[in-house]
Amino acid sequence: MVYETVSTKVMRESDAWTIEHLIPSKELMQRAGNGIYTEVVTLLQGWKAPVAIVCGKGNNAGDGFVVASLLQIHGIDCKIFLLYPDSFSEDGRHFFDICLSQGIEWEAFTEETSLDGYAMVVDCIFGTGIKGDARGLPACAINAINSAGASGAKVISADINSGLNGDTGLGDPAVISDLTVSIGTYKYGHFTGRSKEVMRSRTNVDIGIVIQGEIIYTED
């Protein structure tokens, strides 16, 4: 099969162009969260067991807040874990406040946090923005997600597995996912480096971003 892929630079520029000319940023985030939520409930297969959503501080985290809000609306228990409870993107803060208004439980992620006992973990730590290997608390969170996955939890990564570089597909540690939900268009890192090792499957959610730059067609 042949896939359209772009660099992270092209994706950032395309996102910015779309926001400036066509679709407000909060609407794009809502669409991304909607797409991830659809995959979450499909993978849960009707089992309304608790879902952990592990969030960093960028727009990837904001996508996770949208997912949490939708889970709450549909009666599926969830809990948000924040690596940086005092740091949000502007749009992320908007959707986190919605989660607070819904009474969704959250806690700060620490080195002692365990994700055992959750039916699913949604990885919303980094997205495609990481450069170099994860260290410190993010590395602890990645390892905790992988531990939960090894114990039977389903793992979904938002956009790309946290720890992987969006262009090279390299990085260690990296989340091992049952499903990676690319947002907008696949990035090179979905098919390069360690991608086959850490992504058991992948899908893309088209949220209306108009690509402004080179598209590479990748076979897999």
Side-chain angles (χ1 to χ4, degrees), residues 131-208:
K131 305 295 182 184
D133 291 336
R135 293 289 182 262
L137 193 60
C140 290
I142 289 169
N143 289 331
I145 293 171
N146 288 342
S147 177
S151 298
K154 297 293 185 182
V155 176
I156 287 184
S157 286
D159 206 6
I160 198 167
N161 303 42
S162 289
L164 287 193
N165 180 288
D167 289 318
T168 67
L170 296 175
D172 186 32
V175 169
I176 299 170
S177 67
D178 294 284
L179 177 65
T180 298
V181 185
S182 163
I183 304 299
T185 303
Y186 287 116
K187 275 60 77 177
Y188 300 158
H190 288 109
F191 301 93
T192 57
R194 300 184 63 206
S195 59
K196 289 185 179 180
E197 175 188 346
V198 300
M199 299 178 194
R200 296 190 175 109
S201 61
R202 68 178 83 83
T203 191
N204 183 71
V205 175
D206 182 355
I207 62 172

Side-chain angles (χ1 to χ4, degrees), residues 82-85 109-112 125 135-143:
L82 295 179
L83 272 69
Y84 307 100
F109 188 95
T110 72
E111 293 181 359
E112 289 73 40
I125 303 172
R135 293 289 182 262
L137 193 60
C140 290
I142 289 169
N143 289 331

Side-chain angles (χ1 to χ4, degrees), residues 57-75:
K57 58 184 176 181
N59 285 341
N60 197 244
D63 297 343
F65 302 147
V66 175
V67 173
S69 176
L70 291 168
L71 288 170
Q72 178 79 355
I73 288 170
H74 291 90

